């Protein structure tokens, strides 16, 4: 929210259109301020501190928004946002078309409690449709994109550390076949991921950059494609059945590429009829979800790329998918504002259709123990569903701002949400609730 009463939570595309999250007017109490007063007010807002769980329990807004100083309440502004937020759709009214098929699930459950809001963390979104830019490698260690760099945040020390800066020259210091030894200059990163001690980033022009987190410098650089439409949309790191580390890249050139990390060799290159926005490999490494610029998704043999089944149900393009750890179920997130749950043994129709509130479902995850399904809308809402109750109960995490990514870490104890906003950008941290949490009061 800006001091002139305009909330800036949108993105301008190449034609100058607001893509996701149109401007919403909010009246401020000091509407007659002169320029100097507005500058002072802005500076004061920027000095607002972090928010702890204790402060939130005493009534402080978790994002530090001073509702008592605004000419609107939080409830009134939430109503405005829901009514006026413009979801980006490739097919007009796709959200309204699918709404009648969605499972009606009341909110009210609490699986995660607010823990901390770090205002010094300023997550960035570089492509309005790509929102996998926050990754937790433990309950305390988080990686995120800000400006032209990947940073590390520690929730223990509350300190930031720059891990890799892409604004200048990025050159590999190790030598591998097919590596671009001269590296790249000024890479516009569209997506990245962190896992198995490795950071892998992709760019607008098909650039691929790999860095081992325990070593200085960059290991490997490559140009995955020379097609004109070369945006790197998603990356997944995983262990193969023999214990080797691999990663899968989804690209706008309609390709999915699998690399091994030992020698950074291209192992597989599968081609599809449309731009691939996201892939997710099954726990047994035999199957792969493929979703992209088509209403239907695909279930594919991960060894040869052959289509096993079409996933029919969504009415717009999909940008997210995830497997349940059992390998029996998976979920897909779509611009029609729905998340569908599928049974891999019977794909004639989806098991559940779960509804978002205002925007496309751009990030989907299952907990490592399979108890929860998480999905993030483009802005303002993250939903946590209980799988044990057949997706019949959910927690709705409600805030204001575009979402750069969500991540839980390996043990699911912490849930991190990257929030982009001109003033209230931050990293929200939630902690998993347990039956014994009441003991904390005695510690």
């Amino acid at each position: 929210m800006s001091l002139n009463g305009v909330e800036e939570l949108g993105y301008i595309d190449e034609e100058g259109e607001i893509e996701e999250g149109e401007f919403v007017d909010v009246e401020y109490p000091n509407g007659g301020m002169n320029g100097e007063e507005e500058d002072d007010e802005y500076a004061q807002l920027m000095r607002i501190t972090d928010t702890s769980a204790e402060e939130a329990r005493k009534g402080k807004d978790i994002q530090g928004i001073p509702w008592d100083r605004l000419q609107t309440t939080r409830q009134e502004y939430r109503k405005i946002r829901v009514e006026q937020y413009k979801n980006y759709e490739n097919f007009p009214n796709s959200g309204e078309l699918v709404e009648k098929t969605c499972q009606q699930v009341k909110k009210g459950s609490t699986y995660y409690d607010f823990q901390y809001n770090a205002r010094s963390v300023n997550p960035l979104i570089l492509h309005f449709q790509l929102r996998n830019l926050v990754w937790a490698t433990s309950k305390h260690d988080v990686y995120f994109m800000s400006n032209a760099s990947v940073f590390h945040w520690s929730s223990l020390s509350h300190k930031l550390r720059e891990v890799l800066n892409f604004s200048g020259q990025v050159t590999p210091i190790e030598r591998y076949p097919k590596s671009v030894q001269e590296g790249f200059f000024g890479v516009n990163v569209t997506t990245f991921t962190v896992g198995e001690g490795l950071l892998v980033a992709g760019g607008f022009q098909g650039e691929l950059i790999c860095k081992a987190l325990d070593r200085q410098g960059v290991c490997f650089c490559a140009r995955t494609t020379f097609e004109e439409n070369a945006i790197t949309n998603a990356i997944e790191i995983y262990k193969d059945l023999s214990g080797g580390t691999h990663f899968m890249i989804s690209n706008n050139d309609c390709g999915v590429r699998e690399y091994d990390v030992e020698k950074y060799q291209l192992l597989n290159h599968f081609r599809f009829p449309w731009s691939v926005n996201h892939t997710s490999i099954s726990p047994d490494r035999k199957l792969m979800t493929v979703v992209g610029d088509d209403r239907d998704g695909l279930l594919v043999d991960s060894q040869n790329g052959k289509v096993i089944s079409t996933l029919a149900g969504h009415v717009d393009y999909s940008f997210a998918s995830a497997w349940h750890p059992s390998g029996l179920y998976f979920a897909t997130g779509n611009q029609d504002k729905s998340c569908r749950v599928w049974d891999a043994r019977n794909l004639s129709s989806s098991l559940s259709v779960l509804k978002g509130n205002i925007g496309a479902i751009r990030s989907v995850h299952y907990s490592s123990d399979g108890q929860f399904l998480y999905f993030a809308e483009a802005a303002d809402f993250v939903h946590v569903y209980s799988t044990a109750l057949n997706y019949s109960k959910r927690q709705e995490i409600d805030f204001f701002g575009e979402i750069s990514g969500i991540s839980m870490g390996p043990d699911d104890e912490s849930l991190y949400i990257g929030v982009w906003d001109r003033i209230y950008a931050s990293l929200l941290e939630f902690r998993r609730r347990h039956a014994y949490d009441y003991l904390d009061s005695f510690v």
Side-chain angles (χ1 to χ4, degrees), residues 21-212:
E22 287 204 327
F23 298 139
V24 179
D25 290 334
V26 179
E27 293 185 7
Y28 280 73
N30 298 323
M33 290 189 299
N34 60 36
E36 289 185 0
E37 289 173 329
E38 285 191 1
D39 289 344
D40 291 342
E41 182 83 353
Y42 179 81
Q44 186 173 348
L45 286 172
M46 293 303 289
R47 286 196 297 269
I48 292 175
T49 58
D50 297 352
T51 304
S52 68
E54 181 180 0
E55 290 172 318
R57 285 193 291 269
K58 292 179 180 179
K60 182 178 179 180
D61 182 84
I62 64 171
Q63 293 180 271
I65 300 173
W67 295 105
D68 57 336
R69 292 164 51 194
L70 308 184
Q71 291 183 353
T72 186
T73 65
R74 191 185 194 282
Q75 292 75 19
E76 289 169 344
Y77 186 62
R78 168 52 68 210
K79 185 173 182 291
I80 292 173
R81 281 281 285 176
V82 170
E83 291 174 350
Q84 298 188 18
Y85 186 90
K86 183 179 178 181
N87 179 45
Y88 182 84
E89 301 169 329
N90 286 95
F91 294 90
N93 303 314
S94 64
E96 288 69 26
L97 287 172
V98 80
E99 186 169 0
K100 60 185 178 182
T101 68
C102 289
Q103 181 177 331
Q104 299 301 314
V105 181
K106 288 185 178 180
K107 63 182 180 181
S109 299
T110 303
Y111 307 118
Y112 284 81
D113 293 306
F114 172 75
Q115 184 71 15
Y116 200 81
N117 185 44
R119 292 285 303 279
S120 60
V121 178
N122 187 13
L124 184 69
I125 299 167
L126 292 170
H127 188 288
F128 74 96
Q129 292 173 305
L130 306 179
R131 306 297 185 90
N132 291 305
L133 297 172
V134 174
W135 296 99
T137 56
S138 78
K139 68 179 69 175
H140 302 302
D141 298 285
V142 189
Y143 295 81
F144 66 96
M145 197 77 200
S146 184
N147 296 322
S149 296
V150 171
F151 284 87
H152 169 265
W153 164 259
S154 169
S155 65
L156 289 176
S157 67
H158 292 175
K159 290 184 179 180
L160 284 170
R161 173 176 58 86
E162 186 179 60
V163 178
L164 186 57
N165 189 319
F166 298 93
S167 63
Q169 185 68 32
V170 177
T171 305
I173 61 174
E174 301 177 20
R175 292 188 173 272
Y176 295 94
K178 304 298 178 76
S179 181
V180 179
Q181 288 305 129
E182 64 271 22
F184 301 113
F185 183 85
V187 176
N188 290 316
V189 174
T190 53
T191 191
F192 84 98
T193 188
V194 178
E196 305 297 339
L198 186 69
L199 185 158
V200 184
F204 268 96
Q205 303 300 321
E207 302 98 333
L208 170 65
I209 298 169
C210 304
K211 172 182 173 55

Side-chain angles (χ1 to χ4, degrees), residues 390-438:
N390 198 28
Y391 306 95
S392 63
K393 290 190 177 182
R394 69 183 173 102
Q395 176 180 3
E396 181 179 279
I397 299 175
D398 174 346
F399 50 93
F400 295 98
E402 295 286 318
I403 300 172
S404 65
I406 62 172
S407 187
M408 282 63 64
D411 60 6
D412 308 310
E413 286 299 308
S414 296
L415 166 61
Y416 291 95
I417 305 169
V419 182
W420 182 89
D421 181 72
R422 194 172 70 90
I423 294 177
Y424 293 102
S426 67
L427 184 70
L428 289 165
E429 178 188 354
F430 291 78
R431 188 179 67 177
R432 187 164 172 174
R433 177 178 286 191
H434 295 281
Y436 52 78
D437 277 353
Y438 72 92

